[in-house]
């Protein structure tokens, strides 16, 4: 393939839809803890994408997603997954929707999302979350020096290291989430959020394992295009538990918060 052809096609996507509800990963989905398994980040984005597609197929009022809560039930090989979406609580202005990703018939990730109607609250808008330095004020960081895998290599990161377990970072990727499909900014963001556990490490991941079992994000406005900002704090307790917390930013300011439950294993 010529360089002109590559430029025309653009960057390789993370996923291809290979059936009505089936998605096949590309090499950019390779994991950080185990190179033979998926980095779960982009699968979280695909689940959010499918929730939005299901919503838009059922209704035309565009309920906004205000919470995405994922439970990660195990590691996933670099193989196709099937996703199904179910409405758990239907409503005119509020819905609770579940999306389930399965590999070989086994559930591997569950997403429960709250969708809510929008109201005119611009006069009430405000937050006490402080601003982050702009992306061009933060130095580039080669994340592959600390982490392995195709996903980590696919992401551009800028980071201000504030000490063990504390960092302010900006991340973005040139790779589409799903090939040949229009994907919302929210789904794109959902496909990057799981990187938060790797940008503010307390200890060397080659010495201590601290994978996350879940990820929950609460959003008070829709994220804007551009860089995703992560103001991240990682805490370890005395008996093998930890929490990664991030205030989520775009280039306009804060728009939500995320948390991850960690199992810490020396």
């Amino acid at each position: 393939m010529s360089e002109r052809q590559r430029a025309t096609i653009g960057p390789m996507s993370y996923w291809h839809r290979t059936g009505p509800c089936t998605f096949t990963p590309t090499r950019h989905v390779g994991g950080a803890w185990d190179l033979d398994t998926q980095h779960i980040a982009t699968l979280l984005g695909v689940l959010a994408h499918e929730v939005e597609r299901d919503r838009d197929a059922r209704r035309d009022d565009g309920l906004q997603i205000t919470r995405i809560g994922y439970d990660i039930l195990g590691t996933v090989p670099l193989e196709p997954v099937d996703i199904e979406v179910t409405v758990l609580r239907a409503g005119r202005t509020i819905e609770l929707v579940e999306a389930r990703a399965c590999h070989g018939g086994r559930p591997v990730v569950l997403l429960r999302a709250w969708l809510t109607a929008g109201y005119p609250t611009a006069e009430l808008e405000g937050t006490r979350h402080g601003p982050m330095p702009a992306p061009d004020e933060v130095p580039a960081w080669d994340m592959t020096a600390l982490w392995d895998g195709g996903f980590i290599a696919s992401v551009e990161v800028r980071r201000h290291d504030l000490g063990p377990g504390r960092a302010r970072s900006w991340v973005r990727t040139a790779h589409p989430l799903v090939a040949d499909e229009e994907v919302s900014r929210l789904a794109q963001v959902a496909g990057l959020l799981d990187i938060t556990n790797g940008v503010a490490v307390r200890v060397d991941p080659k010495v201590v394992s601290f994978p996350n079992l879940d990820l929950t994000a609460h959003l008070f406005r829709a994220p804007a295009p551009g860089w995703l900002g992560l103001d991240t704090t990682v805490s370890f307790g005395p008996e093998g538990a930890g929490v990664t917390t991030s205030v989520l930013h775009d280039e306009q300011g804060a728009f939500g918060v995320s948390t991850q439950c960690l199992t810490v294993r020396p």
Side-chain angles (χ1 to χ4, degrees):
M1 182 182 294
S2 69
E3 290 301 320
R4 172 175 287 185
Q5 287 172 314
R6 289 190 180 95
T8 300
I9 293 172
M12 179 190 294
S13 299
Y14 289 107
W15 293 86
H16 290 267
R17 188 185 295 272
T18 51
C21 302
T22 302
F23 295 84
T24 298
T26 69
R27 59 183 173 83
H28 293 312
V29 180
W33 295 106
D34 181 350
L35 297 181
D36 293 325
T37 64
Q38 295 182 26
H39 194 299
I40 211 68
T42 60
L43 181 55
L44 306 188
V46 176
L47 284 158
H49 176 54
E50 288 298 273
V51 166
E52 292 186 313
R53 289 183 71 252
D54 174 79
R55 174 202 63 194
D56 295 343
R58 294 183 292 103
R59 54 195 304 160
D60 60 5
D61 54 356
L63 291 183
Q64 59 189 341
I65 295 178
T66 53
R67 190 206 72 177
I68 45 177
Y70 300 90
D71 289 304
I72 302 166
L73 306 183
T75 59
V76 191
L78 286 166
E79 298 175 0
V81 297
D82 297 307
I83 296 177
E84 61 179 19
V85 179
T86 305
V87 178
L88 300 180
R89 190 271 195 197
R92 185 172 60 85
T93 62
I94 297 175
E95 285 191 341
L96 178 62
V97 177
E98 181 178 87
R100 178 186 300 253
C102 296
H103 170 261
R106 174 180 67 94
V108 290
V109 183
L110 302 178
L111 162 62
R112 286 193 171 186
W114 280 108
L115 288 73
T116 63
Y119 295 93
T121 57
E123 294 183 358
L124 306 174
E125 183 178 7
T127 179
R128 294 300 297 271
H129 293 305
M132 282 181 51
D136 60 4
E137 298 173 355
V138 179
W141 181 49
D142 180 8
M143 199 169 178
T144 64
L146 185 64
W147 296 98
D148 296 321
F151 172 69
I152 296 301
S154 76
V155 178
E156 181 182 358
V157 183
R158 294 178 171 270
R159 185 181 73 148
H160 183 197
D161 186 355
L162 300 174
R166 189 75 180 91
R168 294 191 179 100
S169 309
W170 292 99
V171 300
R172 66 182 179 184
T173 180
H175 300 277
L177 183 64
V178 181
D180 303 321
E181 295 192 17
E182 183 176 349
V183 176
S184 75
R185 178 57 182 163
L186 183 140
Q188 294 169 353
V189 165
L192 290 171
L193 287 181
D194 194 64
I195 204 171
T196 55
N197 194 37
V199 295
V201 299
R202 295 193 62 83
V203 292
D204 187 337
K206 295 180 175 60
V207 177
V208 177
S209 296
F210 44 93
N212 56 297
L213 307 179
D214 71 346
L215 187 150
T216 299
H218 294 86
L219 313 176
F220 54 85
R221 67 170 174 84
W227 290 88
L228 169 64
L230 306 169
D231 190 348
T232 304
T233 301
V234 178
S235 304
F236 289 172
E239 297 181 341
V243 176
T244 295
T245 304
S246 291
V247 180
L248 309 177
H249 293 252
D250 54 27
E251 295 172 62
Q252 300 174 11
F255 65 85
V257 295
S258 74
T259 57
Q260 295 167 291
C261 170
L262 313 181
T263 174
V264 183
R265 304 183 178 191

